[in-house]
Amino acid sequence: MAILDYIVSLGASVMMPIIITLFGLLLGAKFSKAIRSGLTVGIGFIGLNLVIGLLMNNLGPASQKMVERLGLSLTVIDVGWPAAAAISFASVVGAIMIPIGLGINILMLITKQTRTVNIDIWNFWHFAFTGALVAAATNSIAWGVFASAINMVIVMYLADWTAPGVEEYNGLPGVSLPHGFSAAYVPIALVINKLIDMIPGIKNIKADPETLQKRFGIFEEPMIIGSILGLAIGAFAGYDFKAILNLGVTMGAVLILIPKMAAMLMEGLLPISDAAQEFIEKRFKNAGKVYIGLDSAVAIGHPACMSASLVLVPVTILLAAVIPGNKVLPFADLAVLPFMLCMVIPVTKGNVFRTFIIGFLMVASGLLIATNMAPLHTQLAINANFQMPEGATQIASICDGANPLTWVLLQISKFKMIGAAILCAIVVGMAFLNQKIRKAQDVKAEN
């Protein structure tokens, strides 16, 4: 545990090169190739985090200004994902989630229940968050650990099933996204997308970036979209002319730079991904393709994801003001909306219109989920000695406080033995479905 805690404390930009280098050596790669891949991935993560930091440091304050201008006085404050992550790892469940998560991944690989080697250890906090909530609700650490384990298994399945789409639409070959927040919205997106397919006229709306660019020319290029939306957000925030222009250029830069940083990360990852595939093919017959599990940050740069997310920022604030029963004031986590939508892109095939509609419905329901989970969220924060914001009676977050999968697992777990039976039945059902999906993917790959 001390070793694992130390590695995680190094941060993703240091932890990832170490893991990638060791992984490459275990797969039989030469040291020079392994260390080069590891460092390239680390540099890619640093670049990606710098751009995401640029996004959050500029979009976050603008969003907060919009909240202030509307004069919203909701009692549950969105304190953001960093606080949620810290609260998660401060819990007993969080303290043991990393070794449990690694064990689950290894077991699923051995039993051919996953194709993903999940090296995104830092984001195990999403599973720990679920477990910490369940432990507090049931007054049982054991039930919390069980819920966090079930959460990870479900997310691993979702990561596998969406991986081909992530490869095609997000341009990430050999990568899956076992991210506890992003993956949770995939089932909802599938249902809503099917419903849209049933609506005459609406179902025929083509709004993928390529189609829009042909129709609208330069105005649908990513940097132009980002700049226009940035200017609009700056205006809604009440910024002066200089600040509006600055936000516009910054958002345009973000839409260009995120994919470029993700491409550099992929440059380092591809040799290791190829080595992993070769290793599996030599030693395990009929094992099929293997994916490297990464943070969904590598996928948020898709133009459809960023366009829909930026439009959703002011929409989310308006929804918070008008939805009956909502008590959450969106604040710190407004800049994480791209993480909510990045795994929706393969479902909608990059359709901006559909992505926005799905995002709209997910945000609306998410605010109510966050309101419902706020008392437990606040209890965990107090237990972790978190400093409550001035004027707040309770706290929440969009990530993971509005996570629908976390909420469902929490509600089912409250029934303890009956809930455990239901969750086991869900996992068994997904395991059978997984075998069918694996076979279909293998047949498609052979053809």
Side-chain angles (χ1 to χ4, degrees):
M1 280 300 302
I3 294 171
L4 289 171
D5 286 343
Y6 180 76
I7 292 172
V8 172
S9 71
L10 295 174
S13 58
V14 176
M15 183 178 70
M16 292 302 293
I18 294 172
I19 293 174
I20 290 294
T21 301
L22 292 175
F23 190 43
L25 293 173
L26 287 172
L27 294 172
K30 292 181 179 179
F31 179 76
S32 59
K33 187 175 183 180
I35 191 70
R36 187 182 186 282
S37 291
L39 286 173
T40 303
V41 168
I43 292 167
F45 260 107
I46 289 173
L48 194 60
N49 287 331
L50 284 173
V51 182
I52 292 174
L54 184 68
L55 169 68
M56 293 188 175
N57 291 337
N58 285 272
L59 186 58
S63 303
Q64 292 162 17
K65 284 290 184 182
M66 282 190 276
V67 170
E68 293 171 6
R69 292 191 80 198
L70 284 174
L72 299 182
S73 57
L74 299 167
T75 56
V76 180
I77 304 298
D78 163 24
V79 295
W81 71 265
I87 289 167
S88 301
F89 278 136
S91 69
V92 176
V93 177
I96 59 176
M97 187 59 225
I98 290 176
I100 289 174
L102 292 172
I104 289 171
N105 193 186
I106 292 169
L107 181 61
M108 291 184 74
L109 286 166
I110 292 172
T111 57
K112 296 185 179 180
Q113 287 301 306
T114 187
R115 300 179 188 273
T116 295
V117 179
N118 189 356
I119 62 174
D120 187 23
I121 296 172
W122 161 252
N123 276 311
F124 283 12
W125 78 261
H126 296 282
F127 313 129
F129 183 78
T130 298
L133 288 175
V134 171
T138 60
N139 197 30
S140 169
I141 294 171
W143 284 115
V145 172
F146 176 75
S148 62
I150 293 291
N151 190 359
M152 181 171 181
V153 171
I154 291 173
V155 168
M156 292 295 286
Y157 281 134
L158 293 172
D160 276 5
W161 299 347
T162 55
V166 168
E167 285 189 313
E168 181 178 357
Y169 294 100
N170 296 96
L172 300 171
V175 168
S176 67
L177 305 174
H179 193 273
F181 178 63
S182 303
Y185 295 96
V186 171
I188 299 173
L190 288 168
V191 172
I192 299 174
N193 198 55
K194 284 290 184 184
L195 292 175
I196 293 175
D197 283 335
M198 299 176 185
I199 304 175
I202 300 295
K203 67 179 182 180
N204 297 322
I205 295 176
K206 289 187 177 182
D208 59 274
E210 292 78 15
T211 300
L212 292 173
Q213 190 163 351
K214 287 179 182 177
R215 184 170 296 179
F216 297 104
I218 190 175
F219 290 102
E220 282 306 321
E221 291 182 11
M223 63 179 174
I224 302 298
I225 293 174
S227 297
I228 291 173
L229 293 175
L231 293 172
I233 291 171
F236 283 129
Y239 281 179
D240 59 31
F241 185 66
K242 179 181 177 181
I244 290 173
L245 291 177
N246 183 69
L247 186 61
V249 173
T250 300
M251 291 302 101
V254 164
L255 261 68
I256 292 296
L257 291 174
I258 287 180
K260 291 186 181 298
M261 293 301 100
M264 184 169 186
L265 187 149
M266 288 306 304
E267 179 187 336
L269 196 64
L270 278 175
I272 301 301
S273 179
D274 292 341
Q277 194 62 48
E278 185 178 343
F279 181 89
I280 294 296
E281 288 173 356
K282 282 183 178 179
R283 290 164 177 80
F284 302 96
K285 293 182 179 179
N286 302 318
K289 188 166 185 175
V290 175
Y291 297 106
I292 306 298
L294 294 179
D295 189 330
S296 59
V298 301
I300 69 171
H302 191 285
C305 174
M306 289 302 301
S307 299
S309 300
L310 290 175
V311 174
L312 273 174
V313 170
V315 170
T316 299
I317 297 169
L318 291 173
L319 285 173
V322 301
I323 291 178
N326 173 59
K327 296 180 181 179
V328 175
L329 179 67
F331 200 67
D333 259 356
L334 282 166
V336 305
L337 291 177
F339 289 83
M340 181 184 286
L341 297 181
C342 62
M343 289 181 72
V344 173
I345 297 303
V347 176
T348 64
K349 299 181 179 179
N351 188 306
V352 180
F353 172 75
R354 291 190 179 209
T355 302
F356 172 77
I357 295 299
I358 292 170
F360 179 91
L361 296 173
M362 292 193 307
V363 166
S365 59
L367 289 170
L368 295 176
I369 288 172
T371 298
N372 181 261
M373 293 201 297
L376 274 179
H377 199 148
T378 305
Q379 180 183 331
L380 291 179
I382 293 172
N383 293 344
N385 296 317
F386 178 80
Q387 184 66 42
M388 296 286 288
E390 186 178 347
T393 57
Q394 293 180 338
I395 64 168
S397 61
I398 294 175
C399 173
D400 259 14
N403 189 322
L405 179 56
T406 295
W407 183 81
V408 169
L409 291 173
L410 174 62
Q411 304 312 312
I412 295 175
S413 296
K414 289 178 180 178
F415 294 99
K416 294 192 173 180
M417 293 305 297
I418 295 174
I422 294 171
L423 292 176
C424 287
I426 291 171
V427 169
V428 170
M430 293 183 76
F432 279 108
L433 179 59
N434 185 55
Q435 295 306 309
K436 293 183 179 180
I437 293 175
R438 280 178 71 108
K439 288 179 181 178
Q441 289 177 345
D442 288 340
V443 170
K444 187 176 180 180
E446 289 174 2
N447 296 332

